[in-house]
Amino acid sequence: MQNTPEKKPHVVIVGAGFGGLEAAKKLACKDVRVTVIDRTNYHLFQPLLYQVATAALSPADIAAPVRAVLSKCKNMEVILAEVQSVDVAAKKRKTTDMEIPYDFLILATGARHSYFGHNEWEKLAPGLKSLEDAIELRRRLLMAFEYAEKITDEAARKAAMTFVIIGGGPTGVEMAGAIAEIARYTLAKDFRHIDPSQARVILIEGEPRLLASFPEDLSSSAMKQLVDLGVEVRTGVRATNITETGLQVGDEFIPCHVKIWAAGNNASFVGKTLGVPVDRVGRVMVDDDLTIPGHPEVQVIGDLANFSHQTGQPLPGVSPVAMQQGRHAARNILRMIKNREPRPFRYWDKGSMATIGRNKAVVDLNFVHLSGLPAWLVWLFVHIIFLVGFRNRVAVLFQWAWAYLTFNAGARLITRNFQSETRPPA
């Protein structure tokens, strides 16, 4: 005799990113009631956000509606809301306008960029975590060239055509390479009074080398490939005194209009409402089965979790970690429903990769290191495979093929919120 829907265990998943979506798909069509809560109505493929920011792809190419992804199974419910806190004692999630009870909870609310105590820098040097971030960066990048085209002051023109990326991890490396390519190839013939190929792209990394989590040979290869694209790479120095007109790097003040932050992350504030220990960046200290101390019905995954039981160090904040944890959390819930003990989580590290530009990338597959064209082809294949939705895979593959053959980025749109601007009367 089957349970009625009301008596089925209720699983609430907060966050429809990589971890949350994988957990939901694992629980789809099972004998549980699942509610997925997210503050946006789409799943975002974050690894390709930088391509939206640099006009290579449109926002819809890397996002898929959550309701459409989960629509096939009747046990799925999707709610568009922003969660404010968790009451673990009462087993309730609180959003801005409602309370949602749960029997089991999976928290996958991710992270935002951290400015290390200088929150005033966010408006001056945006990060790249959301579609809104990417669209704003695209606007700033393209507006910089438009501004340079119409002014005659040489110093101001050079400042407008100087782009500084702060942080030499995968996001910073990918942004630097993409900006260099769009300046040197895509925009090269579009302007009459400036030469976009003379744009200055500077990548700043406080550590001694780029891609610090990668093997040294791949870090060196990434630097060489960036330099070949014309990127100025500065390691072992930090950016300070960020202003509208530029920023301080060591003893030098660099005049520039566009500054991009890729230097650090802070976990979502929701983790701090659980009442359990968190680390210095707000990640929840989870047990080896991803549950929190004293509450086996609550699991925390992805960028919100500090899982240090495997290597002694927190697992990296990358999509494969979140996806594997999401599937594991769902399996453990199904085990606990049957009164079985949850199993410890074990991450299978398949490697890491970063793209730099056309035919340029680095890939660490653990057993082999790849650079250049072979690495770039592996990167293309992996990202096409993991995009959510057949339509998105076809669209992105077509856009990449077109850009490869023509050097043309088709999403060069400058979007502005005209309703918020002061405009002259009609």
Side-chain angles (χ1 to χ4, degrees):
M1 186 173 179
Q2 292 186 342
N3 292 329
T4 60
E6 289 74 24
K7 293 183 180 179
K8 290 180 179 180
H10 186 200
V11 182
V12 174
I13 301 171
V14 183
F18 287 105
L21 192 64
E22 285 298 308
K25 290 194 291 187
K26 199 72 179 175
L27 294 169
C29 300
K30 296 291 194 292
D31 196 28
V32 293
R33 186 162 60 96
V34 181
T35 300
V36 179
I37 307 172
D38 199 287
R39 61 183 179 182
T40 68
N41 75 329
Y42 53 83
H43 166 76
L44 177 65
F45 194 79
Q46 280 194 336
L48 292 181
L49 264 180
Y50 83 96
Q51 294 217 351
V52 174
T54 53
L57 295 174
S58 295
D61 293 337
I62 65 166
V66 177
R67 292 184 184 277
V69 175
L70 302 176
S71 62
K72 292 182 181 179
C73 292
K74 299 300 182 182
N75 70 325
M76 290 294 189
E77 176 188 23
V78 178
I79 295 178
L80 182 66
E82 184 166 3
V83 170
Q84 300 295 311
S85 63
V86 181
D87 185 343
V88 292
K91 290 188 176 182
K92 290 182 179 179
R93 292 304 317 259
K94 297 180 181 179
T95 71
T96 51
D97 54 3
M98 62 192 300
E99 290 187 350
I100 303 173
Y102 63 83
D103 296 310
F104 297 93
L105 175 66
I106 298 176
L107 270 181
T109 50
R112 288 288 292 172
H113 25 264
S114 168
Y115 290 85
F116 308 114
H118 293 277
N119 292 337
E120 69 277 9
W121 290 352
E122 184 166 11
K123 290 184 178 180
L124 304 172
L128 191 58
K129 287 289 185 184
S130 66
L131 275 183
E132 291 79 9
D133 294 336
I135 293 168
E136 173 60 16
L137 283 175
R138 183 181 68 183
R139 184 189 71 81
R140 294 191 185 198
L141 289 170
L142 297 178
M143 281 296 293
F145 289 104
E146 297 292 344
Y147 177 67
E149 171 79 353
K150 64 185 182 183
I151 59 176
T152 56
D153 182 86
E154 191 60 29
R157 179 176 283 178
K158 285 183 178 179
M161 293 176 61
T162 298
F163 305 91
V164 179
I165 301 94
I166 305 158
T171 300
V173 166
E174 290 170 346
M175 279 297 297
I179 295 172
E181 280 206 330
I182 194 175
R184 282 153 180 71
Y185 301 113
T186 305
L187 301 178
K189 298 179 181 179
D190 285 5
F191 295 88
R192 299 294 173 263
H193 302 291
I194 60 171
D195 179 4
S197 67
Q198 298 302 308
R200 189 180 178 195
V201 182
I202 304 171
L203 178 60
I204 299 168
E205 169 55 45
E207 298 298 321
R209 61 186 179 95
L210 300 178
L211 300 175
S213 62
F214 283 59
E216 286 195 28
D217 61 321
L218 293 182
S219 294
S220 299
S221 176
M223 178 176 288
K224 182 181 183 303
Q225 293 178 70
L226 283 169
V227 171
D228 289 345
L229 275 174
V231 177
E232 298 178 34
V233 180
R234 304 190 184 187
T235 58
V237 293
R238 300 188 185 277
T240 58
N241 190 29
I242 299 176
T243 67
E244 289 277 2
T245 57
L247 75 166
Q248 192 78 26
V249 180
D251 297 329
E252 178 188 4
F253 184 81
I254 302 175
C256 66
H257 290 183
V258 179
K259 301 160 283 285
I260 300 169
W261 189 265
N265 294 317
N266 263 343
S268 163
F269 69 92
V270 177
K272 296 177 182 177
T273 70
L274 294 172
V276 297
V278 299
D279 65 13
R280 62 183 180 83
V281 296
R283 291 175 297 192
V284 177
M285 310 296 291
V286 296
D287 293 334
D288 64 357
D289 56 3
L290 302 177
T291 62
I292 64 173
H295 291 277
E297 75 281 1
V298 178
Q299 298 185 79
V300 181
I301 64 175
D303 291 350
L304 188 60
N306 180 323
F307 183 90
S308 307
H309 304 280
Q310 187 166 332
T311 64
Q313 297 294 325
L315 292 176
V318 293
S319 57
V321 172
M323 294 169 74
Q324 290 184 37
Q325 289 182 338
R327 292 191 289 266
H328 186 85
R331 285 192 291 263
N332 270 349
I333 285 174
L334 295 175
R335 289 180 62 84
M336 286 188 280
I337 289 173
K338 298 176 181 178
N339 295 318
R340 297 162 68 185
E341 288 293 318
R343 288 177 174 169
F345 173 71
R346 190 82 180 170
Y347 174 55
W348 179 24
D349 186 1
K350 301 174 185 177
S352 50
M353 58 185 67
T355 185
I356 295 156
R358 182 188 180 93
N359 300 338
K360 293 178 170 61
V362 290
V363 171
D364 174 19
L365 297 177
N366 296 325
F367 58 90
V368 65
H369 298 170
L370 302 175
S371 296
L373 178 59
W376 186 71
L377 292 173
V378 171
W379 181 91
L380 286 179
F381 175 77
V382 169
H383 283 70
I384 287 292
I385 288 297
F386 283 104
L387 265 172
V388 174
F390 177 76
R391 178 261 174 205
N392 284 3
R393 294 189 190 106
V394 172
V396 169
L397 187 60
F398 175 80
Q399 293 283 2
W400 283 348
W402 180 257
Y404 189 86
L405 294 173
T406 66
F407 289 95
N408 184 29
R412 302 196 303 274
L413 307 179
I414 299 174
T415 55
R416 297 160 62 183
N417 185 2
F418 287 104
Q419 290 182 337
S420 67
E421 298 178 3
T422 303
R423 305 180 70 188

